[in-house]
């Protein structure tokens, strides 16, 4: 088999423009051992977005990052990627706001990024493109004469066909996605949803190879970080107050209001728990230029205030709500201090927080994961207490069960999940995906360009 040269990562985020989110943290962990170029946006909004690629290196990684103009970024990122694709792919058609200008802007940024990448490429590069910001990127590259093998990985779920059909321009987007050589999804359900949609709507188009590649974490590295002396000690070490921790970007897909309501129900139904437990919700603001995110912030601060007003007193607060991004060395020991990890998205591609929580636990005295059955991670983490995040009673019951779970059961559940984390870690994810992409490179000719876009 031919050995590839560099792996070229293309993503909206680069290490130059990181945010709390699965993409950057997952990829950084995955690329430590690979000679790679990482290309994407540098986090700057500048009018003269022209032809300015900034290059810098960290270890074996070279980062090539470009600025975008405020208007281009607004149409591409806030408008189409996060105003249409994000809500629709998470089955929130009610939050979808489509405009032709945003769609044109999205295509234009994809075309512009392809043009900026082209002179940086070498013949034996393998190109690996990430996430819904870049669905049409392969088509743009092919039309500009880029012939290197190109794979795509979708970090978020793919919608079921009945929902996907409501996305304006979906047929054009499917054609563009089919210009990739390999399409990777988090779960088998996501992969099947994509293939079924193509069969239904674009029977004339050749669907490229597809596969399920559930993203993982580096369990040993996270465990080591979690073992370190905590920067912050949240709860008494004698566990006189049992901690429940939740960590999510402030996003409407994460089920935060539903979680707060379920917690309020637990407080109402079980007064004997008052003073003995505390929920800490850490939620860094995200996509604050998209109206649905601003609404969520208001709703949550309102709910948090209600819980504190009704159940808190001078000695004890049932809830701590922090809209902050934390460094990983601070975060990991916090997971370890918690008796319960509460991860209850309404729909999620994988959810790395669930895996991080498990990795951070003390094997001798682990906490319990309460996990939404609508997170991709639920297909793998069978030692979690799986819940329906739309059912407050079921969630309250699961929190109660988790808080009082006997030691032997906690350990047994933790061991099952730890084994999964090790068997399906971030390194295995990278190797499997790239092996599949490279195998295609050795056997097939580069496909002809897909139908026209921008
Ligand atoms: P998403 O990609 O939708 O944000 P994931 O759960 O897959 O969801 O990934 C979230 C990543 O962001 C995790 O690696 C998590 O540790 C990190 N993260 C989330 N919230 C915070 C926070 N408050 N501070 C630091 N990192 C965070
Ligand atoms: O996992 C989905 C995702 O959109 C990633 O691409 C990104 O890392 C994360 O959520 C955070 O979102 P954003 O890049 O919009 O801040």
């Amino acid at each position: 088999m031919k050995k590839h040269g560099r792996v070229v990562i293309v993503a909206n985020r680069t290490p130059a423009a990181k945010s709390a989110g699965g993409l950057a943290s997952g990829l950084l962990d995955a690329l430590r051992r690979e000679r790679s170029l990482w290309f994407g946006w540098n986090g700057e909004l500048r009018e003269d977005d022209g032809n300015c690629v900034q290059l810098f290196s960290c270890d074996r990684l070279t980062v090539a990052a470009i600025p975008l103009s405020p208007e281009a970024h607004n149409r591409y990122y806030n408008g189409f990627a996060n105003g249409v694709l994000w809500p629709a792919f998470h089955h929130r058609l009610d939050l979808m706001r489509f405009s032709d200008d945003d769609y044109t802007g999205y295509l234009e940024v994809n075309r512009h990024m392809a043009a900026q990448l082209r002179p940086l490429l070498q013949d034996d590069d393998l190109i690996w493109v990430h996430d819904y910001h870049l669905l049409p990127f392969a088509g743009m590259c092919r039309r500009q004469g880029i012939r290197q093998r190109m794979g795509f990985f979708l970090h978020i779920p793919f919608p079921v066909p009945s929902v996907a059909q409501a996305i304006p321009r979906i047929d054009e987007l499917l054609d563009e996605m089919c210009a990739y050589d390999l399409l990777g999804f988090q779960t088998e359900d996501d992969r099947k949803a994509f293939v079924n949609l193509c069969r239904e709507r674009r029977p004339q188009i050749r669907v490229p190879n597809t596969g399920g590649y559930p993203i993982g974490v580096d369990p040993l590295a996270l465990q080591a970080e979690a073992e370190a002396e905590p920067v912050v000690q949240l709860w008494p070490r004698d566990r006189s107050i049992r901690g429940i921790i939740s960590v999510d970007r402030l996003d409407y897909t994460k089920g935060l209001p539903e979680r707060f309501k379920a917690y309020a129900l637990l407080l109402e139904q079980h007064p004997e728990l008052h003073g003995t437990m505390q929920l800490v919700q850490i939620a860094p603001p995200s996509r604050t230029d998209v109206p649905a995110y601003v609404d969520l912030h208001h709703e949550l601060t309102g709910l948090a205030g209600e819980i504190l007003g009704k159940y808190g007193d001078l000695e004890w607060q049932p809830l701590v709500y922090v809209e902050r991004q934390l460094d990983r060395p601070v975060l990991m020991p916090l997971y370890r201090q918690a008796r319960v990890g509460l991860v209850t998205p309404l729909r999620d591609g994988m959810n790395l927080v669930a895996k991080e929580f498990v990795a951070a636990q003390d094997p001798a005295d682990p906490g319990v994961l309460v996990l939404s059955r609508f997170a991709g991670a639920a297909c793998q983490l069978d030692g979690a207490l799986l819940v329906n995040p739309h059912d407050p009673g079921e969630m309250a019951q699961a929190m109660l069960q988790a808080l009082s779970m006997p030691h032997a059961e906690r350990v047994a559940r933790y061991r099952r999940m730890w084994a999964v984390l090790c068997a399906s870690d971030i390194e295995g994810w990278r190797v499997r995906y790239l092996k599949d992409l490279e195998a295609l490179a050795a056997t097939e000719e580069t496909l002809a360009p897909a139908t026209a876009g921008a």
Side-chain angles (χ1 to χ4, degrees):
M1 187 189 290
K2 177 175 154 280
K3 181 77 191 90
H4 63 78
R6 298 178 308 178
V7 172
V8 176
I9 297 292
V10 185
N12 172 58
R13 295 274 173 195
T14 61
K18 262 179 68 183
S19 73
L23 189 148
S25 49
L27 282 179
L28 265 182
D29 283 344
L31 291 174
R32 265 191 243 127
R33 293 183 189 81
E34 190 77 47
R35 195 165 62 86
S36 324
L37 173 73
W38 184 334
F39 174 80
W41 177 48
N42 68 359
E44 287 173 27
L45 298 177
R46 288 217 317 245
E47 278 311 337
D48 57 332
D49 68 337
N51 303 312
C52 149
V53 180
Q54 296 160 358
L55 284 170
F56 62 93
S57 327
C58 43
D59 300 330
R60 291 164 66 85
L61 181 69
T62 304
V63 178
I66 56 168
L68 290 171
S69 77
E71 195 190 336
H73 184 261
N74 188 38
R75 294 201 181 292
Y76 143 82
Y77 176 82
N78 295 324
F80 193 71
N82 288 314
V84 175
L85 295 176
W86 179 271
F89 279 34
H90 288 87
H91 291 181
R92 290 298 305 268
L93 290 177
D94 56 316
L95 296 177
M96 189 168 81
R97 301 280 175 271
F98 175 80
S99 92
D100 274 310
D101 286 347
D102 289 344
Y103 182 62
T104 308
Y106 174 79
L107 295 178
E108 182 49 36
V109 168
N110 272 263
R111 192 203 57 72
H112 175 66
M113 286 178 70
Q116 298 290 304
L117 175 64
R118 191 164 168 243
L120 305 175
L121 290 173
Q122 298 168 5
D123 288 347
D124 59 353
D125 284 342
L126 269 188
I127 305 174
W128 191 7
V129 182
H130 291 262
D131 236 354
Y132 60 100
H133 315 88
L134 298 168
L135 300 180
F137 188 76
M140 302 296 172
C141 287
R142 297 303 185 219
R143 283 189 286 280
Q144 295 182 37
I146 294 172
R147 287 282 165 266
Q148 284 82 350
R149 279 292 135 168
M150 204 177 298
F152 175 82
F153 181 76
L154 185 66
H155 288 251
I156 66 175
F158 195 83
V160 296
S162 56
V163 172
Q165 312 215 19
I167 301 172
R169 313 289 185 271
I170 188 66
D171 292 347
E172 218 169 288
L173 289 169
L174 290 176
D175 293 353
E176 294 289 83
M177 286 178 78
C178 288
Y180 285 103
D181 300 306
L182 175 62
L183 292 166
F185 298 88
Q186 295 276 23
T187 68
E188 188 52 21
D189 281 353
D190 296 320
R191 191 194 71 77
K192 278 192 202 144
F194 172 79
V195 172
N196 289 339
L197 183 66
C198 287
R199 277 200 198 116
E200 247 172 68
R201 302 218 42 114
R202 310 305 286 163
Q204 70 280 26
I205 292 282
R206 179 189 172 281
V207 178
N209 286 59
T210 56
Y213 302 87
I215 194 168
V217 294
D218 183 342
L220 289 172
L222 294 176
Q223 190 180 53
E225 274 179 329
E227 276 165 5
E229 191 52 34
V231 181
V232 180
Q233 182 67 39
L234 275 179
W235 301 289
R237 286 181 197 264
D238 65 5
R239 300 218 188 260
S240 52
I241 293 183
R242 286 162 296 170
I244 306 176
I245 196 161
S246 288
V247 177
D248 317 75
R249 275 184 309 102
L250 194 43
D251 193 298
Y252 52 80
T253 62
K254 302 291 181 184
L256 294 160
E258 290 78 3
R259 188 181 301 159
F260 280 15
K261 286 174 193 165
Y263 185 62
L265 185 64
L266 180 70
L267 288 163
E268 185 190 316
Q269 290 176 336
H270 292 278
E272 77 281 6
L273 293 176
H274 295 190
T276 72
M277 65 174 182
Q278 184 179 58
L279 170 61
V280 171
Q281 171 70 62
I282 300 168
S286 179
R287 306 174 192 164
T288 45
D289 293 327
V290 180
Y293 289 77
V294 179
D295 296 345
L296 177 66
H297 158 79
H298 292 309
E299 183 181 2
L300 271 178
T301 45
L303 284 169
E306 275 174 34
I307 291 174
L308 283 170
K310 191 162 175 191
Y311 297 106
D313 60 31
L314 293 179
E315 293 82 42
W316 173 69
Q317 283 80 46
L319 174 69
V320 174
Y321 176 63
V322 180
E323 288 189 358
R324 293 271 181 285
Q325 187 163 335
L326 304 178
D327 292 337
R328 212 157 83 170
V330 179
L331 196 53
M332 293 304 140
L334 296 187
Y335 288 139
R336 195 179 179 94
Q337 292 169 34
R339 187 36 87 220
V340 180
L342 192 55
V343 185
T344 55
L346 305 181
R347 185 165 158 81
D348 212 332
M350 177 51 58
N351 198 294
L352 289 178
V353 168
K355 293 188 171 183
E356 290 167 2
F357 175 80
V358 174
Q361 294 310 300
D362 176 355
D365 186 21
V368 180
L369 177 64
V370 175
L371 177 62
S372 161
R373 53 173 60 99
F374 306 121
C379 303
Q380 295 184 297
L381 298 179
D382 63 347
L385 295 177
L386 293 185
V387 292
N388 175 358
H390 300 281
D391 183 339
E394 189 183 309
M395 285 221 278
Q397 181 55 36
M399 283 185 244
L400 189 63
Q401 188 186 345
L403 286 166
S404 54
M405 188 178 284
H407 178 260
E409 185 179 349
R410 282 189 278 122
V411 171
R413 286 175 176 272
Y414 163 78
R415 284 189 183 153
R416 292 212 310 266
M417 295 193 282
W418 175 261
V420 172
L421 294 191
C422 295
S424 147
D425 69 354
I426 188 77
E427 174 64 2
W429 174 77
R430 175 186 71 84
V431 168
R432 234 189 96 218
Y433 187 94
L434 292 175
K435 198 164 128 263
D436 288 356
L437 184 59
E438 185 165 42
L440 289 176
T443 54
E444 286 178 24
E445 286 306 306
T446 301
L447 294 173
T451 52

